[in-house]
Amino acid sequence: MNILSIVGARPNFMKVAPLHRAFEAHPQLQSKILHTGQHYDAKMSDIFFNQLGMPQPHYHLGIGGGSHTYQKANVMLKFEEILNESRPDVVLVVGDVNATVACSLVSVKMGIPTVHVEAGLRSGDRSMPEEVNRIVTDAICNHLFVTEHSGLINLAKEGVPDEKVSFVGNVMIDSLVHFREQAAADPILEQTGVSPKSYILMTMHRPHNVDQEAGLRDILQVIRYAAVHQQVVFPIHPRTANNFQRFGLFEDLQAIPGLLLLEPQGYLQFLKLMDNAALIITDSGGIQEETTYLQVPCMTFRDTTERPVTVELGTNFLMADLNPETVKIQMESILSGHAKQGVIPPFWDGRAAERIADKLALLYSTSNSTL
Ligand code: UD1
C-alpha cells in the first residue's frame, strides 16, 4: 500500500515525520512525501526536514506565498498532474493549512482514498482560515484520525459515522517524545544568553492578531509588561515581521528592553526553548498542545481554541479578553505561582503514528473497508 503524505507549512513537518517513520517500518506500507511549497524559507521549511530526519520530499510543487485562493488553486492544478502520473493507494493530509484542504479536494475527486490526521478539531470561529479548512477536509475525507475527545464529539454532531473515525492520539506529540532528549542537548539557551525557567517565550502570527496596526500595538504593550518580569524571547514569524515593518513599528519592537528578538527557530531549538520557559505566550494551535505535554504554562492570545483538552486537562489559559491590561493580570498571576499543573491527555504517548499505520493497513486489507 503506497501512501502519499502532504506537507505545506511549518506545522505539518513535525506531524508527517513520525508518520513517515512508522509507514516505512510497517511491512505492508510504503511512504512518499509531497511538499506544496507554501512555506519556502530555509528557516521555515528545510531545517525541519533535516532535523526531523525526513527525506527530501519526493514531489515539490513550489507554490510559494500569495493569497489563499492563489495558493490553493495552484496547488490543486499541480497536484492533479502529480496524481495522474503516480496514483498512490492513499493520500494522507494533516492539520488545517491550505495544503490540507487543497490536496484532499483533488484526491477525493479523483477517487483516491484520502485520510485526515488531526481531524475533528473545531474552534467554532469561521473567520479563522484554518477552521474552514478543517470543516471542508473532514466533510470529504474517507477516514478521520482524531487527537482528542472533543474531535469525536464534533464529528458525531456533524453526522460522520463512527466507523470512519479513529481516536489515535497526537502525532505532533510523537515528534516531541522522539526528539525531546536530543533537543535538551542543544546549546540554544547558552547562545541566546537565557537561563532555564527565567524567561517568557513568545510566538505570534495569526492574521487576526498581527495583520492590523491595533493588534501589533497590543502585542508591543504585552511584551513591555512581560519584559518587566522576565526576559522575553520572541522568534518572529515572517508574516509578523513583515507587518511590524509595514506599519512602521519594527523599531518600537526592537527598542523594548529585555526583549530578545530571534529569527524563526529550528524544531530542536524551539523544543528546548519551550521545555525551559517559565511561561509561553502564543496564538499557535500546536504550541497549546506541546506546552500541555511539557506541563509548561501557556497563555493563548485567542478567545477560542479548537483544542479544548489543553484548557480542560492541560496547562493552557485562553485569553477571552485580549486587552493588554487583562493579559498583564493573568501573566502576573501565573508567574507568581498560580499556574495549572495539568495532566497529559489520553493517547498522547508518542505512539499515535504507529496506531495510524496499523489502522491503515487493516482498513486497506478489509474487503468492506470504509477507505
Ligand atoms: C500558515 C497556516 C497556519 C499556520 C502557519 C504556521 C494556512 C491557512 N495558515 O500561516 O495555519 O499556523 O502557517 O506558520 O495555511 N512567508 C515567508 N516565508 C515562508 C513562509 C511564509 O516569507 O517560508 C510569508 C508569506 O510570504 C506571507 C506570510 O509569511 O507573506 C504568511 O505566510 P502564509 O503561508 O500565507 O501563512 P502563515 O501565516 O504562515
Side-chain angles (χ1 to χ4, degrees):
M1 173 185 186
N2 293 304
I3 303 171
L4 180 62
S5 300
I6 309 298
V7 295
R10 186 169 60 178
N12 295 157
F13 307 132
M14 49 294 254
K15 295 171 192 167
V16 165
L19 288 166
H20 179 72
R21 223 175 22 248
F23 296 162
E24 288 288 271
H26 197 288
Q28 287 158 269
L29 308 180
Q30 284 183 331
S31 171
K32 284 190 176 171
I33 296 173
L34 178 142
H35 192 337
T36 65
Q38 177 179 346
H39 284 178
Y40 46 88
D41 285 350
K43 289 194 161 67
M44 297 292 286
S45 178
D46 302 0
I47 190 168
F48 291 89
F49 277 80
N50 296 334
Q51 293 192 350
L52 294 163
M54 282 199 283
Q56 286 305 304
H58 302 82
Y59 308 96
H60 199 299
L61 305 185
I63 294 305
S67 76
H68 287 185
T69 304
Y70 171 92
Q71 288 181 18
K72 287 175 188 161
N74 279 292
V75 165
M76 289 178 76
L77 290 170
K78 292 197 175 180
F79 188 45
E80 184 182 38
E81 284 173 27
I82 303 272
L83 287 185
N84 274 330
E85 276 166 33
S86 80
R87 285 187 76 92
D89 298 311
V90 168
V91 167
L92 179 148
V93 296
V94 295
D96 53 19
V97 304
N98 292 334
T100 311
V101 65
C103 290
S104 50
L105 273 168
V106 177
S107 56
V108 167
K109 284 276 186 173
M110 289 177 73
I112 299 174
T114 306
V115 301
H116 184 206
V117 173
E118 203 185 89
L121 298 179
R122 298 287 181 271
S123 68
D125 175 2
R126 290 198 185 190
S127 69
M128 285 178 76
E130 293 81 3
E131 181 75 352
V132 178
N133 293 348
R134 290 179 203 119
I135 293 169
V136 175
T137 305
D138 285 343
I140 60 175
C141 278
N142 302 76
H143 201 85
L144 305 174
F145 292 102
V146 169
T147 53
E148 63 164 84
H149 188 67
S150 74
L152 296 176
I153 296 171
N154 294 330
L155 293 173
K157 267 196 227 152
E158 291 171 20
V160 179
D162 287 352
E163 62 272 20
K164 281 182 69 177
V165 182
S166 304
F167 183 15
V168 287
N170 191 322
V171 288
M172 194 187 56
I173 300 300
D174 290 5
S175 272
L176 191 159
V177 170
H178 189 83
F179 286 106
R180 191 176 185 184
E181 210 177 299
Q182 200 180 325
D186 192 90
I188 185 70
L189 297 193
E190 294 80 357
Q191 285 166 359
T192 320
V194 292
S195 320
K197 300 298 167 191
S198 69
Y199 62 90
I200 297 170
L201 181 63
M202 172 128 183
T203 81
M204 211 53 71
H205 74 280
R206 295 257 162 236
H208 178 78
N209 288 327
V210 305
D211 280 4
Q212 311 295 332
E213 182 175 348
L216 296 174
R217 288 194 181 279
D218 283 348
I219 292 167
L220 286 176
Q221 195 53 36
V222 166
I223 298 174
R224 286 192 194 104
Y225 286 147
V228 167
H229 298 280
Q230 302 210 335
Q231 276 188 303
V232 178
V233 178
F234 185 10
I236 192 163
H237 186 285
R239 173 192 282 278
T240 311
N242 293 342
N243 285 335
F244 270 110
Q245 301 275 12
R246 186 157 66 93
F247 290 105
L249 294 173
F250 201 75
E251 277 150 24
D252 293 7
L253 179 68
Q254 285 175 310
I256 300 177
L259 171 64
L260 292 163
L261 210 50
L262 306 181
E263 302 240 286
Q265 293 296 299
Y267 182 71
L268 298 174
Q269 290 71 36
F270 193 74
L271 177 49
K272 178 147 189 191
L273 283 168
M274 281 195 290
D275 212 356
N276 288 281
L279 165 67
I280 301 187
I281 301 178
T282 188
D283 60 1
S284 155
I287 292 173
Q288 299 172 53
E289 299 183 329
E290 290 168 327
T291 48
T292 277
Y293 185 87
L294 297 170
Q295 298 181 307
V296 172
C298 178
M299 284 172 60
T300 299
F301 221 59
R302 287 173 44 191
D303 55 6
T304 57
T305 181
E306 63 287 341
R307 294 161 159 95
V309 76
T310 62
V311 177
E312 289 153 12
L313 294 185
T315 53
N316 190 19
F317 295 85
L318 225 49
M319 297 310 306
D321 176 358
L322 301 185
N323 181 307
E325 305 299 328
T326 318
V327 177
K328 177 172 182 266
I329 293 167
Q330 180 71 71
M331 180 165 54
E332 289 177 348
S333 155
I334 293 172
L335 290 173
S336 64
H338 294 98
K340 294 185 270 183
Q341 190 58 43
V343 295
I344 296 173
F347 288 139
W348 291 19
D349 58 359
R351 313 217 24 212
E354 287 168 36
R355 288 185 201 105
I356 291 170
D358 288 341
K359 183 74 188 183
L360 284 176
L362 184 70
L363 283 174
Y364 196 66
S365 60
T366 312
S367 54
N368 62 350
S369 167
T370 50
L371 270 188

